[in-house]
Structures are given as C-alpha cells and as structure tokens.
Amino acid sequence: MQIKFASVMVDDQAKALEFYTDVLGFVKHADLPFGEFRWLTVIAPQGVVGVELVLEPMGFPPSRAFQKALFDAGIPAAAFTTSNIQGDFERLGKRGVKFHGEPQVMGPIAAVRFEDTCGNLINLVQPLE
C-alpha cells in the first residue's frame, strides 16, 4: 500500500493553483473538469514520484467551518519538507508568503507555518538529523 493523493481544501481552485505553482514552485499535474469544479493536482518536482496534492474544492458546506476551525486553532492542514528551511523562508517571504513567525528548532526538526492564501496553514519542516 502507498499514498498516492493527499488533499488540501481550497476556497478557490484557480487562486490555489496560482499559489502552489507560481509561488511555491509545484507543477500542475492533473486538471480535469469535474462537474462545477476540477480534479486539480500538483506535484513537487523534488518530491516522491507519484504523490500528488489535490487542490480540493470546498463543495461540501461543513468543510468551510472545518477549515476555519483548523486555521483559527493554528493547526496546519498539511506539512511540506525542505532541506533548507531558512533559505525557503527567505525566498518565499520575498514572494509575499505570510509566515506565522520564524523557523524554530523543535527537537529533531525546524518548522514554521505559513498561509496558503486559500484558507489553510501549511507547516514547513526541515528534519535536522
């Protein structure tokens, strides 16, 4: 068994695609019509081959309340790893990414949260060992 898809709920798929590709540097992988929405996925060029992040539309009304509750509680919707957290923090900050603080060492990792412009907090993590 393996993970193929992971999802983040987004309030606007077009805005999400722009952020995840133009700002974060992911690559659009699938973009198919799916009723009033799209089956929209991105991949990380340096990521695990075959794993896709689904930019999931919030077509189910309770999903908005759930997303807001996670955000308000400071709970990330997803975590991405990096080998250079300070470099990515600086690079993405110059691109307008809103971070919640600066990278902090937490035992075996360094981490910082940022907003994805679509209602989510994302945890950026660098393993230190």
Side-chain angles (χ1 to χ4, degrees), residues 9-89:
M9 296 178 292
V10 299
D11 57 8
D12 180 313
Q13 286 185 297
K15 179 175 69 171
L17 181 60
E18 182 179 330
F19 178 80
Y20 280 86
T21 57
D22 295 348
V23 177
L24 296 185
F26 291 174
V27 175
K28 180 171 69 171
H29 186 73
D31 189 355
L32 306 167
F34 197 76
E36 64 180 284
F37 301 109
R38 299 150 69 181
W39 174 255
L40 186 58
T41 71
V42 295
I43 58 173
Q46 298 84 24
V48 176
V49 174
V51 175
E52 300 174 50
L53 181 66
V54 181
L55 304 178
E56 191 78 50
M58 289 194 289
F60 181 58
S63 63
R64 289 190 185 279
F66 177 69
Q67 183 194 50
K68 183 176 181 343
L70 286 176
F71 187 94
D72 290 347
I75 299 171
F80 303 147
T81 60
T82 179
S83 60
N84 182 357
I85 197 165
Q86 190 62 41
D88 284 340
F89 174 76

